[in-house]
Every structure is written in structure tokens, then in C-alpha cells.
Amino acid sequence: MTSTPTPFTADDYRARMTRAAQSAADAGLDGVLIAPGPDLVHLTGYRPVATERLTVLVLAADRDPVLVVPTLEAPDAEAAPGAPALTVRDWTDGKDPYAAVAPLMDTSGRFAVSDNTWALHLLGLQRELPGASYVSLTQALPMLRAVKDARELARIEAAGAAADQAYGEILKVPFAGRRESDVAADLAALLLRFGHSQVDFTVVGSGPNGANPHHEAGDRTILHGDMVVLDFGGLKDGYGSDTTRTVHVGEPSVAEQHIHDVVREAQQAGVDAVRPGVACQEVDRAAREIIEEAGYGDLFIHRTGHGIGVTTHEPPYMIEGEAQPLVPGMCFSVEPGIYLPRRFGVRIEDIVTVTEDGVRRFNNTSREMAIVE
């Protein structure tokens, strides 16, 4: 039985909105426009469905936060956890919603817009305020959600522990003779059993399918002698889990064990590189160096890691060229891999957080190759 975390308060949401508005001002922006999606959930606790009716949170350093919503959705908006920290303004069907937003914006200002804003709404704002300009929120403020507070960290840690429990149980089920989709269904059920409210993905890549990092579990029958990549995660109490282990059906060959050992060493090197002040790209470099030295550099075909929080993929990214320094409270994956086309793949992934003096893992199952039946 899982415990329920302490809810976020209106003061928590007020502080997040204040930080977002100030970060925008520091970046030379006049404000931030937040549409329904993960940014709105993070900033207000409000989770409406995105529709053709405009909903937008307007943040600016010199103004109180205002959430503009359709009249029929105003009761839900006013009941949101962060509602006491903002003003809700509604607009009725038949009226121009963009005219309701315009007075809250500088007519010639520059605004960051959440990435999942519908084009319909952005074009409507451009039409209403032709002198204003817009930039992607991730481009302008990539670290908006990157640094987690203590209660956010506790939720991500609990999500990681639940995913670890699911992995421990999946090792007990039969693999050989079953379809990938059967094992994926088992994984999804286990995530839900251990407290997840949402399953985002259950990658089960057996044999040659494991060479595709984002393989969708399909109808291939898992065979004795297969390497199997298991990558799974979702949301628990609003925060993400994401972990990967590579198992083998029966005893592995010497070559298979060697490649797994290289990936395990690379993953450890990536984790060991994590500490405050280090650039994100150094984590990628540390893991990639091990794989390149072993002669498999061209078979490591993706970044080493991605941030995680209210979504399972978000900034920061552990990739060459990302000079953003690591800060205590950042959470992200460390997941190097080697992929041999038409043969098999190996990936090992943990979620980690940056601490004041180093790193802490949120996934703690064995990274040795497990043997399944």
C-alpha cells in the first residue's frame, strides 16, 4: 500500500508563478503565456483539457497572475489548488477570447509561450496584438521546471521506487514463448499495482527489436537466447518514473555479456560525472567515452539523458553542446546504450538527482544482467 504525499499548497504555486515571471523578466521577456499542459499543471495545479476554447495563464513580473478561461470551465479553474494565488477571468461563448487576454499583455511585448499552445490560439493572439512577438518557452526558459523542491523530489523518488518494484516482479514472469506485448501488459499492470496512475510506455524489445531504442512492444514471440530491453515508466502522484534494464532469456553468450558490461560501465561513468556545476554535456561525454573506447561509439545513437518531472521527458538534456550547469534538485535519466542492427540492443537507465555534493539514484535495482526464463 502506497502513502499519499502531502499536497502542494497555494503558496507553493504562488512561489512557482513568481519565479517563472521573474525568470522571464531576467531573460528580457515581458511575460509568459501558459496553455493547458504540463507547465500549467506545474504552475497552478489546474489540469484542463486543451480545446478550441482558449485557456491561458498570463504571468508578468509587474502584475498578479491571471488565468483566462471559458465561462463554463470557471468553476473548475476556481477550485484548482493554485487558484488562491491568482485571478480567474472568464469569457463567454460568442465573445472574442483574445480580446479578453490583450489587456493583460504589453501590446509591443515579447512573450514566452508554452510549447504545446495550439496554433489556433497563438494566431489569435497575433491577430489581436500584431505588435507583440513570441518565443518558445523551452527555448527561452529551458530550466523553468528543471530544479525540484523537496516535495517534488520525494514524489520522483517514490515513483522510481514503484518502478523498481515493478521490475522486481517482472523478473518472475515467463518470457520465452510469449509475445512482447504480453510482457508489456504485465509491466503496465505492475506499474499500476505499485501506485502509478498513468503508464506512459512499456518498451519490450526482444532480440533484433532491441536494436530500436523506441521499439513498440509487438507480436514477436520472445525466444530462448534473446536479449530483451525493458524500458518503462509513467506518472505516480503527478511525477514521472523511467527506468531501463536489459535481461536475457537463458544464459547469454560471451559477446552479449561483454556488450552489457560495457553499457553498465558507461552508465556508472555517467552517474559518477554528476555533481553541481558540471555541464550537462559532461555526463554525456563520460558515458560515451567508455562506449567509444570499447569500439561501439557509432552504435550509441541517442543522448545520454533527459530531465523528468511532471512529464517523463523535459529539460535538461544530457547531450554534447548542452553547457547548462547542473544544479542541486535537477532530476534526469542516465541511459547509455549500444544497438547492433538486426541482432540486439542493450540499455541501462536510472533516474538521478543532483545533490549539494554529488548525485543520488532514484532507481536501485541491480544493473547486472538478469537471467529470465
Side-chain angles (χ1 to χ4, degrees):
M1 186 172 181
T2 59
S3 60
T4 301
T6 303
F8 297 119
T9 67
D11 285 342
D12 293 326
Y13 292 114
R14 180 179 291 107
R16 292 177 188 177
M17 287 187 280
T18 298
R19 284 196 301 270
Q22 188 57 56
S23 294
D26 293 344
L29 300 170
D30 294 283
V32 183
L33 307 178
I34 305 294
D39 294 312
L40 188 62
V41 173
H42 174 72
L43 291 167
T44 69
Y46 184 43
R47 194 186 297 270
V49 175
T51 71
E52 76 284 356
R53 290 187 172 98
L54 177 71
T55 293
V56 63
L57 173 68
V58 184
L59 301 177
D62 59 349
R63 299 180 184 178
D64 293 333
V66 178
L67 179 62
V68 179
V69 301
T71 299
L72 77 168
E73 295 179 9
D76 288 339
E78 291 167 347
L86 52 78
T87 299
V88 175
R89 292 188 185 177
D90 63 321
W91 60 273
T92 57
D93 281 353
K95 302 293 185 180
D96 183 355
Y98 310 108
V101 177
L104 306 174
M105 299 170 58
D106 186 326
T107 57
S108 60
R110 185 167 177 263
F111 298 87
V113 182
S114 54
D115 296 357
N116 54 328
T117 302
W118 282 21
L120 168 72
H121 299 317
L122 183 55
L123 291 170
L125 290 169
Q126 289 177 324
R127 183 175 61 251
E128 186 69 25
L129 294 172
S133 60
Y134 306 90
V135 63
S136 158
L137 181 62
T138 294
Q139 178 185 348
L141 302 173
M143 296 299 113
L144 180 67
R145 305 197 315 258
V147 179
K148 276 65 178 179
D149 62 31
R151 278 189 284 175
E152 290 180 293
L153 291 173
R155 293 185 184 213
I156 298 173
E157 182 176 20
D164 283 358
Q165 288 178 292
Y167 176 67
E169 291 298 312
I170 203 67
L171 296 180
K172 302 174 184 178
V173 311
F175 278 66
R178 301 177 70 211
R179 296 175 301 176
E180 293 173 338
S181 56
D182 296 329
V183 177
D186 289 341
L187 269 173
L190 287 166
L191 286 171
L192 295 173
R193 171 181 160 190
F194 291 116
H196 281 64
S197 60
Q198 176 179 312
V199 178
D200 287 343
F201 50 90
T202 50
V203 172
V204 179
S206 64
N209 289 340
N212 175 0
H214 282 175
H215 170 68
E216 293 284 345
D219 291 332
R220 183 182 185 276
T221 298
I222 301 171
L223 304 175
H224 186 84
D226 276 348
M227 193 87 83
V228 185
V229 178
L230 304 173
D231 183 351
F232 51 97
L235 297 182
K236 181 181 185 298
D237 297 316
Y239 283 76
S241 68
D242 186 1
T243 187
T244 307
R245 295 291 185 264
T246 302
V247 303
H248 199 276
V249 186
E251 292 297 325
S253 68
V254 172
E256 289 170 330
Q257 183 65 61
H258 170 68
I259 290 175
H260 190 278
D261 289 344
V262 171
V263 174
R264 182 164 53 86
E265 183 182 353
Q267 204 265 351
Q268 184 64 54
V271 172
D272 289 343
V274 176
R275 59 185 182 277
V278 168
C280 291
Q281 64 184 0
E282 295 300 331
V283 179
D284 182 83
R285 288 173 177 174
R288 200 169 298 275
E289 180 180 11
I290 299 297
I291 293 175
E292 289 175 345
E293 287 180 352
Y296 301 105
D298 59 339
L299 300 178
F300 180 10
I301 56 177
H302 56 72
R303 64 198 174 200
T304 292
H306 58 82
I308 192 168
V310 292
T311 60
T312 49
H313 278 214
E314 61 185 46
Y317 298 107
M318 306 302 115
I319 187 63
E320 183 66 32
E322 179 52 79
Q324 169 68 41
L326 298 178
V327 175
M330 285 182 174
C331 297
F332 51 87
S333 66
V334 180
E335 52 177 305
I338 294 175
Y339 308 94
L340 282 70
R342 298 176 296 281
R343 293 181 60 194
F344 63 87
V346 176
R347 183 166 66 258
I348 300 172
E349 174 185 16
D350 292 326
I351 298 301
V352 305
T353 186
V354 185
T355 65
E356 293 295 333
D357 57 1
V359 62
R360 182 158 61 101
R361 296 184 196 258
F362 285 156
N363 294 108
N364 294 290
T365 57
S366 174
R367 284 161 284 279
E368 301 284 345
M369 192 194 309
I371 307 301
V372 296
E373 299 300 326

